[in-house]
Amino acid sequence: MTSTLIVGAGSAGCVLAARLSADPARSVRVLEAGPAFGTMAELPFELLDPGRLPVGPESALVWRYAGNLVRGKLIGGSGAINGSYFIRPPAADFAAWSAVAGPRWSFDSVLPVFCDLEDDQDFGEAPGHGIGGPIPISRTRHFTEFSADFAQRCEVTGFTEIPDLNTPATDGFGRVPLTVSNGRRSGPAVTHLYPAMERPNLTVTGDTMVTRLLLRGTRVIGVEWVRGRERGRTCADQTVLCAGAVESAALLIRSGIGPEPLLRSLGVPIVRPAPVGAWCTDHPEIGVEFPGGEPGEPAVPLEYVLHVDDLEVRPYTQMFTPGLRRVGVALMHPESTGELTLVSTDPTVAAHVDQRYLHGGRDRARLRAGVALTAELIGRRIGPVDDTWLHANLGTSQHLSGTCRMGHAHDERAVVDEQGRVHGIEALTVADLSVVPVPLRRGPQATTVMLAASIADHMVV
């Protein structure tokens, strides 16, 4: 019998598996729906090149959902294919999180976990930072012309340059902390899982889709899975979902843990009514494009960003449309929330995520303000920026969270408790971005690994 079964070898699953399997008395098994390359030597080049984003139509390494939402489907998950951005959210986000879920998620409580994870090559010996941890953090020193010009324009406009965006400072521009070492993308598979792969008590199996939880009453005893034409079951003392904000929620619903009306419409026997999929959030992003020169040398997607209240302005080094440079304007604290639902119990039928972007008038007003600021920065007239223009230029930051929100048992919006344990269900934990109960004002990669490390450390105790 496996001690701990982890569903998903994405960013959270890699960290959790490495930390739990450090105890030789605990057997850990990981099931990943995508490919699980056996060693780092087998990783395709584009997964190690931080200047590449292997998420295009030709990529077989992503889950795809309506609305151009994609998530990593491979060992390392989205952390293996993202832009290597690694910025902590501000303390205010953790204050809101701890107000909902308890003091262990306050900034003072999570800061030691962040420090323990870091090997910050620029500020590692500064207060509130770490050196010698598993995750290398660096900042670009030789910038593209586009990034350097953006930074100069921010300074001329009057914004403060922040040397380290992983400090409590909020508004200003600065170099993006990156999980890059020696020119190589260093996601959680590289920093956590591969160094642990030779442990005899850790088994990682790829190309295995978990279809349903196995329950005995309200206790999870394992999972059912499919691998090609093979079907099987794996039993465990404890099951942890690390399949991401979409697939962890979908798995709960297929297993009878979800909104009662949805379960009835799908014909799924109800095990535990729960608000799975409700009140989820993402960061809507407006792409401001304008003619510009072709990029020179390959570079990470973002070298600088500008933070202004709840907006993040992103000068992308890469061209997404031939001949056009892009500055992204992302709303990092939207008031609009979305909903995830299933249209079928067939796990090969993608879940539906209704982001409900721009439903709130404040959200539209903030994005208009962000577009106006961007127009000032780049010295170009943009508009008229009405609702039609916003929708025509609207995209997603690919930061979905909150589909299995954390909170107290009496909270009508909560699915899991402060330790990620599913309310009313035994031996089942969720430890990925789906449990984060508040919008985060920064991209979620740093939070995801901190969350997984924190939950893993509690499970070890």
Side-chain angles (χ1 to χ4, degrees), residues 155-174:
E155 184 175 14
V156 169
T157 305
F159 290 106
T160 301
E161 182 167 7
I162 301 173
D164 175 19
L165 290 178
N166 276 333
T167 60
T170 52
D171 287 5
F173 70 99

Side-chain angles (χ1 to χ4, degrees), residues 314-331:
R314 305 166 176 167
Y316 289 107
T317 64
Q318 302 172 347
M319 282 186 164
F320 299 93
T321 305
L324 297 178
R325 305 310 304 247
R326 178 181 295 183
V327 176
V329 181
L331 180 60

Side-chain angles (χ1 to χ4, degrees), residues 121-134:
Q121 297 163 26
D122 300 307
F123 299 98
E125 295 183 353
H129 279 291
I131 193 166

Side-chain angles (χ1 to χ4, degrees), residues 92-93 96 141 180 186-187 197 247 259 266 334 357 362 374 435 455:
D93 288 353
R141 297 183 184 279
V180 174
S186 297
M197 288 281 268
E247 295 302 323
L266 294 170
Y357 283 158
R362 179 190 174 278
T374 301
V435 306
I455 289 179

Side-chain angles (χ1 to χ4, degrees), residues 404-408 414-418 420-423 429-430 435:
C404 306
R405 296 176 84 257
M406 183 180 288
H408 300 295
V415 176
V416 306
D417 69 10
E418 66 172 1
R421 299 173 300 193
V422 178
H423 288 302
T429 297
V430 184
V435 306

